[in-house]
Amino acid sequence: MLQLAEIFQDGMILQRDKKVCVWGTCAPAEKITIEIQGKKAQTAGSAGGDWKAYLEPLCASENEQMTVRTDRECRILHRIAIGEVWLAGGQSNMEFQMRYECHRELAKQDCPNHRLRFYDVPEVCFDGQLEQFDYSRMGIWRSAKREEVEYFSAVGYYFQRALEEQLNVPVGIIGCNWGGTTASAWMSADSVRRAGYPWIEEYDNKVKGMDWEAYWERQAENPMNDRGNPFADAFTELVCPNTVTPEEVEACLGPEYRQMSADSDEMMANAVPGCLYEHMLKKAAPFTIRGFLWYQGESDDVPGRQKMYADMLEALIGDWRKLWQEELPFMIVQLPGWESWLGSCCIDFDTIRKCQEQVANTVPQVYLCSISDAGEQLDIHPKDKRIVGRRLALLARGHVYGQRLLCDAPVAEKIQAEQDQVTVYFRNAGGGLKIVGGKLSAMQVLADGKEIAYRAYIDHDKLILQLPQSVKGGIEIKFAQGAWYRVNLYNDADIPSIPFVLQI
């Protein structure tokens, strides 16, 4: 029987200007013909019934139909757009739906916009989960209608909206994310063993002597694994649109919240190394896309493991690119400042951020998106995702679509001290740096380990720090370090500076 992979549906969007991969199943050795926009591809099923074909590059369009046929069957898909397609992955801040975003009502004024399409890969981490729970609301291509846009990843929506306006073509997002997950779930188990062995070691210790049959029975009955209706969870409905205290959560949810906390000791199925790579990412690969967006790292803030995040992230990028067999652009959102939320607190985001910057500086076609002005002190889920999506779109416009514009954040390269003045030199300043709001925030100046006062002003691409007197001894500049800060040092593209520590 002729079948297309689940992601191929009415209302989907296909990537323009690249060969388009289409795949599915059929009877063994059966011949398949795919046709769209006058382009035709032919293939045949394998002995096991799998097939894959590549269409020649397509032109941007808003309403096409695709025909897939064998000698005995024919499938026709309607309302297909051709444009730009990106995969947006990560944990809750990427998953964070438009339903909860602070600008959602304003965004709805732009709806309907059928040039914007969104597909959410079903959140599945073990065999049988799809059959155990109702997933009828996920795994669907949606267009940006008022009643549908609330399902969109908010970061993804604002990214695609900005690109659609600039490129004047349809733009699609494939959402592949799950809140509260570590990088180890999103990469192959072999890569975790190589790049982050403590994650594997912890897993091995947890499952030693485990009754797997009983464990999977419990997981199949665990309501925490019912991921088919994104708006059915009372906890998410309370905390995503609001910044609340633990007391407010317990007052609203009562015993349900206490029970959820009590049940947290057992390993969740989505913590198994490689599980989301196997059960989610592989469902989307190798759907033809332009690149990846990545917003994750909060759950990797584990004591003693933050330093390995650079190796983990580099290995993850390699795994993803291997699935697509292409060195696709990879955009990383650098974590903003955050202090605490519902009993959890920031341990060492500084190291996670340094790792993110390191990967962007050393791995080809990886770019860092600065949102160091957009965090919330007492909420790990900043409600303004518009700023994140637009900054990612700016990066894509500059690095992927070849537009000549300033798209990277200011980066401090060196400091120089002379008598009572310290000069910090930046790249990516554009027409000049600026301090928004008058007084520079998030910066410490230390002389021989002791903090000293300073006055800050801008000289084009330089930040000048005027000290009260000449300083003898070592000088250290710390910018946007520690749990909570909000940066107000920008370039003329309104992108905030990357955190840094420099010494002389």
Side-chain angles (χ1 to χ4, degrees):
M1 180 178 177
L2 176 63
Q3 294 284 351
L4 288 158
E6 294 173 4
I7 199 168
F8 294 97
Q9 303 173 4
D10 290 342
M12 67 178 175
I13 180 170
L14 299 176
Q15 177 64 47
R16 65 170 176 166
D17 299 339
K18 295 176 69 173
K19 288 190 174 183
V20 173
C21 183
V22 186
W23 71 96
T25 58
C26 64
E30 193 166 34
K31 293 182 180 179
I32 310 288
T33 301
I34 306 104
E35 190 168 4
I36 182 174
Q37 209 177 67
K39 305 292 176 66
K40 183 182 295 186
Q42 293 180 316
T43 188
S46 67
D50 296 319
W51 61 268
K52 182 186 292 185
Y54 288 88
L55 288 156
E56 289 300 313
L58 305 172
C59 299
S61 176
E62 297 181 31
N63 189 12
E64 301 283 350
Q65 72 175 30
M66 175 189 284
T67 302
V68 184
R69 62 166 59 91
T70 68
D71 290 338
R72 297 177 298 173
E73 298 176 83
C74 181
R75 293 280 307 278
I76 301 176
L77 303 182
H78 304 276
R79 305 188 313 280
I80 298 171
I82 314 294
E84 293 298 308
V85 188
W86 288 75
L87 187 140
Q91 56 181 111
S92 55
N93 275 308
M94 185 63 89
E95 181 180 13
F96 195 96
Q97 289 94 349
M98 283 294 290
R99 179 183 179 93
Y100 310 121
E101 204 272 337
C102 65
H103 303 293
R104 59 188 177 275
E105 293 304 321
L106 184 62
K108 285 182 180 179
Q109 294 178 18
D110 292 332
C111 297
N113 185 340
H114 297 290
R115 297 211 297 184
L116 304 182
R117 312 284 175 96
F118 177 70
Y119 179 86
D120 47 352
V121 177
E123 295 182 14
V124 174
C125 58
F126 60 88
D127 291 336
Q129 190 172 357
L130 270 175
E131 293 73 30
Q132 183 69 28
F133 302 102
D134 178 10
Y135 278 88
S136 60
R137 295 176 182 86
M138 297 190 75
I140 300 168
W141 278 103
R142 306 177 189 273
S143 66
K145 298 181 287 189
R146 291 182 65 90
E147 66 274 17
E148 295 283 287
V149 74
E150 67 175 8
Y151 286 90
F152 282 48
S153 156
V155 170
Y157 172 82
Y158 288 114
F159 171 84
Q160 65 190 134
R161 181 75 176 102
L163 283 191
E164 183 247 347
E165 288 179 331
Q166 290 293 324
L167 303 178
N168 194 29
V169 297
V171 183
I173 293 288
I174 299 170
C176 193
N177 36 65
W178 190 321
T181 53
T182 65
S184 65
W186 290 106
M187 52 204 291
S188 70
D190 286 343
S191 288
V192 181
R193 192 172 296 278
R194 185 181 72 253
Y197 184 75
W199 291 103
I200 291 286
E201 186 176 40
E202 180 186 47
Y203 168 73
D204 288 343
N205 290 334
K206 282 183 177 181
V207 303
K208 190 177 298 183
M210 179 182 285
D211 183 340
W212 281 106
E213 185 176 350
Y215 173 77
W216 289 119
E217 286 178 0
R218 290 193 300 274
Q219 292 301 314
E221 296 172 356
N222 188 342
M224 297 289 287
N225 289 322
D226 184 358
R227 306 293 296 183
N229 183 353
F231 308 137
D233 176 35
F235 178 76
T236 301
E237 289 287 279
L238 176 64
V239 304
C240 278
N242 309 292
T243 298
V244 296
T245 65
E247 294 74 21
E248 289 171 324
V249 173
E250 187 155 349
C252 289
L253 302 183
E256 181 182 346
Y257 175 62
R258 290 196 298 273
Q259 186 61 41
M260 181 177 66
S261 301
D263 290 343
S264 62
D265 287 340
E266 180 167 68
M267 179 184 69
M268 288 296 296
N270 66 4
V272 175
C275 65
L276 303 183
Y277 171 81
E278 294 293 336
H279 291 278
M280 290 183 64
L281 191 67
K282 283 188 173 181
K283 293 290 181 66
F287 193 91
T288 306
I289 59 174
R290 183 67 71 185
F292 302 110
L293 312 176
W294 180 251
Y295 191 165
Q296 190 275 340
E298 299 92 337
S299 290
D300 283 86
D301 186 24
V302 175
R305 300 187 192 177
Q306 293 93 340
K307 288 184 178 179
M308 69 179 63
Y309 189 72
D311 289 340
M312 294 282 282
L313 186 53
E314 183 173 351
L316 181 149
I317 293 170
D319 281 343
W320 287 34
R321 287 173 167 174
K322 187 176 181 180
L323 280 183
W324 269 264
Q325 298 184 329
E326 186 178 356
E327 192 177 272
L328 292 165
F330 201 99
M331 313 281 187
I332 300 170
V333 178
Q334 189 175 45
L335 299 185
W338 165 70
E339 185 176 285
S340 62
W341 178 74
L342 299 185
S344 60
C345 62
C346 176
I347 301 170
D348 187 9
F349 271 24
D350 285 342
T351 297
I352 298 289
R353 294 183 194 103
K354 290 174 186 174
C355 289
Q356 292 172 321
E357 184 179 10
Q358 176 185 329
V359 172
N361 288 338
T362 57
V363 179
Q365 290 205 76
V366 176
Y367 309 103
L368 192 64
C369 177
S370 174
I371 60 165
S372 54
D373 57 341
E376 295 190 20
Q377 184 175 5
L378 301 178
D379 200 326
I380 201 168
H381 302 121
K383 311 309 179 191
D384 185 351
K385 296 295 192 268
R386 184 172 66 184
I387 197 168
V388 186
R390 288 179 174 179
R391 293 246 175 89
L392 284 167
L394 197 63
L395 273 178
R397 289 169 57 197
H399 289 295
V400 179
Y401 297 106
Q403 297 184 5
R404 299 187 64 180
L405 48 78
L406 179 60
C407 62
D408 291 299
V411 176
E413 295 193 292
K414 65 177 182 177
I415 57 175
Q416 180 178 323
E418 186 174 347
Q419 297 182 352
D420 61 349
Q421 184 172 288
V422 176
T423 303
V424 186
Y425 295 83
F426 286 81
R427 71 172 186 269
N428 303 330
L433 299 171
K434 58 184 177 182
I435 298 170
V436 176
K439 184 178 180 181
L440 181 66
S441 66
M443 179 167 283
Q444 290 178 291
V445 179
L446 299 98
D448 290 330
K450 295 181 181 180
E451 189 168 358
I452 60 174
Y454 65 88
R455 289 186 297 108
Y457 61 94
I458 299 298
D459 179 11
H460 189 62
D461 63 346
K462 298 181 285 293
L463 175 67
I464 312 297
L465 304 175
Q466 188 69 48
L467 310 182
Q469 60 188 33
S470 295
V471 175
K472 296 180 180 179
I475 294 177
E476 183 177 45
I477 310 296
K478 292 184 176 182
F479 182 69
Q481 301 298 300
W484 170 242
Y485 59 81
R486 183 168 282 161
V487 166
N488 66 342
L489 177 64
Y490 296 83
N491 60 20
D492 67 348
D494 293 322
I495 306 172
S497 173
I498 297 294
F500 65 87
V501 177
L502 290 173
Q503 300 171 329
I504 51 173

